[in-house]
Each structure stands twice: as C-alpha cells, then as structure tokens.
Amino acid sequence: MSHEKYAQVIQALHECMEACNHCYSACLQESDLEQMIECVRLDRECADICSNFEQALTLDTQFVNEYAQLCASVCRACGDECAKHDHDHCQQCAEACRKCANECEKLIEYA
Amino acid sequence: MSHEKYAQVIQALHECMEACNHCYSACLQESDLEQMIECVRLDRECADICSNFEQALTLDTQFVNEYAQLCASVCRACGDECAKHDHDHCQQCAEACRKCANECEKLIEYA
Amino acid sequence: MSHEKYAQVIQALHECMEACNHCYSACLQESDLEQMIECVRLDRECADICSNFEQALTLDTQFVNEYAQLCASVCRACGDECAKHDHDHCQQCAEACRKCANECEKLIEYA
Amino acid sequence: MSHEKYAQVIQALHECMEACNHCYSACLQESDLEQMIECVRLDRECADICSNFEQALTLDTQFVNEYAQLCASVCRACGDECAKHDHDHCQQCAEACRKCANECEKLIEYA
C-alpha cells in the first residue's frame, strides 16, 4: 500500500503545504510586504508541488525519484527564503519546508 | 487562521483524497475490473476536488460555499458508488467519502 | 468527445489561467504592490480553479454544473478586482476572466 | 513574459493533457480494458504533471529544469505505453506525449 509505505513523507508534504499556504496568506497581510515577495512566490510554488507529490505518492507513482528531486529543490528554496524573515509564520514554514525537503531527499537516496 | 478554523474538514478532505487514490489503484488491479469502471472514474475526480478544496481552505478562500457544494456532490456520488462494492478498499473509501461529504455540507449550512 | 463538445469553454479556461498567472507575477513586481494584494490573491485562486475545471471537462465530468458555478464565481470576482487597476496585465486579465465567467455561465444555463 | 517565452512548450503541455484525458476516458470504455490498465494509470499521471507544469511555466518558475525532467519522464513513459495499442485515442495520445516529451527535453538542454 503506497499510502502506508510513504506515510511519513505524505505527512510531511501535507504539513508543508499547510504551512506554505498559511505563510502565503499571512505574508500578503504584512506591513513589510515589499520584503516578502519572494516568500509569497515560493510559498505558492511549494504548496502546489507538495500537494501534487502527495497525490502522486498515494497513487503509487513510478516517478518517485523525479518528483522527489523537484519537490526537494522547491522545499529547500522556500525554506531558505522563509528562514530569512522573523515572522512566526515564516519561521514555522521554514521548519516545515526543511523537514519536507529532508523527507524528499531520503526518497531520492532510496529510490 | 483558516487552517485552524477548518482543521476538521481539512482532515476529512485529506483522508478522503488518500482513500480515493488507494481505492483507484486497487480497483485497477481487481479481477472484476469491468464492474469497477465508475468507481475508478469517481475516485479520480473525488481525489482531485478534495485536494483542490484542501488547498483553497488553507488559503482562506472566499468561495467556501461554492467549493463545498461541488465537493459534497462529488464525495456523495463517489461514496454511493464505492458502497456498492464489497472490496475492502471500496468500503473504506465509501466511509471516507461520506464523512467528507458530511463535513462539506456543514460548511454549506454555515457559510 | 468531451474535449470537442466543450472546446470553447476549455479555450476560455486555458486563456484565463494564463492571464491570471501572468497578472499574478506582474502584480508582485508593481511599485503599488500594496494596492494589488486582492488582485494577487484572486489571480491565484482563479488560475487554480480554471486549471482544475479544464481537466474535469476533458475527463467528461458529471459535475459540470457545480464546477461551472464555482468557476464562474471566482472568475467574476477576479475580473471585477482586476478591472479596478490600470495596469495592462490587470486589464487583460479582467477581459479573460469575464470571457471565462460568461462561458461558465452558459454551461450552468444548459447543464 | 514567461507565457510568451514558453509559448511552444505550454501549447504542447496543454495538448498532451487533453489527449491524455481523452485517452483515459476512452480506455475505460474499451472492451479490452484488461489490456489498458497501464495506459489508464499513465494517462492520469501524465495529464496531471502536464497541467501542473503548464501552471508553473506561466508563473515563471525557477524550477524549469526539475519540472522538465519529471514531465519528460512521465510523457515518455505514457507515450511508449500508448504506442503499444491500436486504438485511435492511444495513437493520438502517443503522438501528443512524444511531442511534449521532446519540448520538455529541449528545456532541460537549455535551462
């Protein structure tokens, strides 16, 4: 069962998607919005790929390695950007992105 | 925070997406595949709309009512179809779909 | 063939998705970004639902009416917001959204 | 403008998504459905990644290379599978997948 085999990464993808979308909405309401543009852009991209990869994993995709490489890259970039900002939502998102990037990278190693 | 306000329905959407994708993959491996075509079709549609609605809710969409009506209709149809089949994955999916349809319908009532 | 029957609305959905994503990226680079927040938010939501509805139509979904109601609402809201702004990308997006909302509303009438 | 720079690949992605979803629906109605299972599975995965990559390109994603590698792999696999079957929808889908894989591979070369 793919959804059991991949339970840990699916959970990380789900939490990362939620953290990115929360950070996205919160960034758009910040007074220093001009500083948050890259964060907004990456939050959206990261939420999308996490959501897509989650579906692919629950479908037992043959393309785990390629998905994991894409998703790890986006999560890593989003986590690095979020980590630059002191807002709680950015710090929480940075943590979720890094955890998710780590899970994706484990899939690359063992694919 | 939209992701806290909607935590229960987000969880139901997530579990429904997983159950639908698992049922989809499992149906395609059943010996009575000819009987499972409508189940396969609805599983895919249901997983997609659950995944999309999940993202929209975590973004604090203004269109909760319209999304909930669409998602409730698809979940209801998918749950009814799955309930006709004795396979464990179909019965589990029927349960997840009905739970999710119920959560969506609560959003319609209170939107 | 669903993709032939719905060719006109699929084209409108596709063009609306492209216009919304272009407007989204361009808004995030505008000097009056503070004024464009609602435009950014709606551009993303509109691109997502157009993309999802496009897929559902090419799959010959049974849920045309519910999808069309959701998509028409989002396109109408996004078009109205974009129309408030003088940027070329906003005016072009407003036009694409309105055309798409009209196509969706025709589906509701005839569903 | 990303949507102009990438116009050719966006068109190929769009046509591939449509061809895959049409092939998917048609396969599920074929009398030799047992032979079409892998085609059904890959059609869905291919339509999804084409749709997602299309959105990412219109957003001017930084992750063109990773997306293109994933999408090329899925399109190549789906095209190879479809090419095995004589149904018109499979042959047309094989052609759309191969054209799309070629466009994606061009992006990898020049990314």
Side-chain angles (χ1 to χ4, degrees), chain A residues 29 42 74 77 85 100:
Chain A
Q29 298 176 51
L42 286 166
V74 181
H85 307 284
C100 192

Side-chain angles (χ1 to χ4, degrees), chain D residues 70-82:
Chain D
L70 167 58
C71 198
S73 293
V74 182
C75 289
R76 198 60 73 193
C78 190
D80 287 351
E81 177 61 31
C82 284

Side-chain angles (χ1 to χ4, degrees), chain A residues 16 75-76 79-80 83 93-103:
Chain A
C16 190
C75 288
R76 199 58 74 194
D80 288 350
C93 191
E95 178 64 22
C97 287
R98 285 169 173 184
K99 193 172 159 190
C100 192
N102 290 343
E103 290 295 330

Side-chain angles (χ1 to χ4, degrees), chain B residues 13 49-58 64 67-68 71 104 107:
Chain B
L13 288 162
I49 189 59
C50 285
S51 177
N52 297 334
F53 189 17
E54 218 184 309
Q55 276 229 57
L57 279 176
T58 61
V64 172
Y67 262 110
C71 199
C104 289
L107 291 179

Side-chain angles (χ1 to χ4, degrees), chain A residues 61-101:
Chain A
T61 181
Q62 306 167 30
F63 306 97
V64 171
N65 201 50
E66 291 91 338
Y67 263 109
Q69 287 181 329
L70 167 57
C71 198
S73 293
V74 181
C75 288
R76 199 58 74 194
C78 189
D80 288 350
E81 177 61 32
C82 285
K84 295 178 191 167
H85 307 284
D86 287 335
H87 303 300
D88 281 353
H89 52 84
C90 289
Q91 290 296 314
Q92 288 163 9
C93 191
E95 178 64 22
C97 287
R98 285 169 173 184
K99 193 172 159 190
C100 192

Side-chain angles (χ1 to χ4, degrees), chain D residues 6-61:
Chain D
Y6 293 122
Q8 196 169 335
V9 63
I10 289 172
Q11 187 62 27
L13 289 161
H14 183 65
E15 290 173 9
C16 190
M17 178 277 283
E18 279 198 320
C20 286
N21 279 336
H22 172 49
C23 186
Y24 170 92
S25 287
C27 282
L28 287 173
Q29 298 176 50
E30 291 292 348
S31 53
D32 64 338
L33 176 56
E34 298 287 339
Q35 311 305 317
M36 308 311 296
I37 297 173
E38 193 60 18
C39 202
V40 166
R41 286 190 59 88
L42 286 167
D43 280 341
R44 177 180 175 182
E45 284 213 57
C46 195
D48 284 346
I49 189 59
C50 285
S51 176
N52 297 335
F53 190 16
E54 219 184 309
Q55 275 230 58
L57 279 176
T58 60
L59 284 168
D60 215 0
T61 180

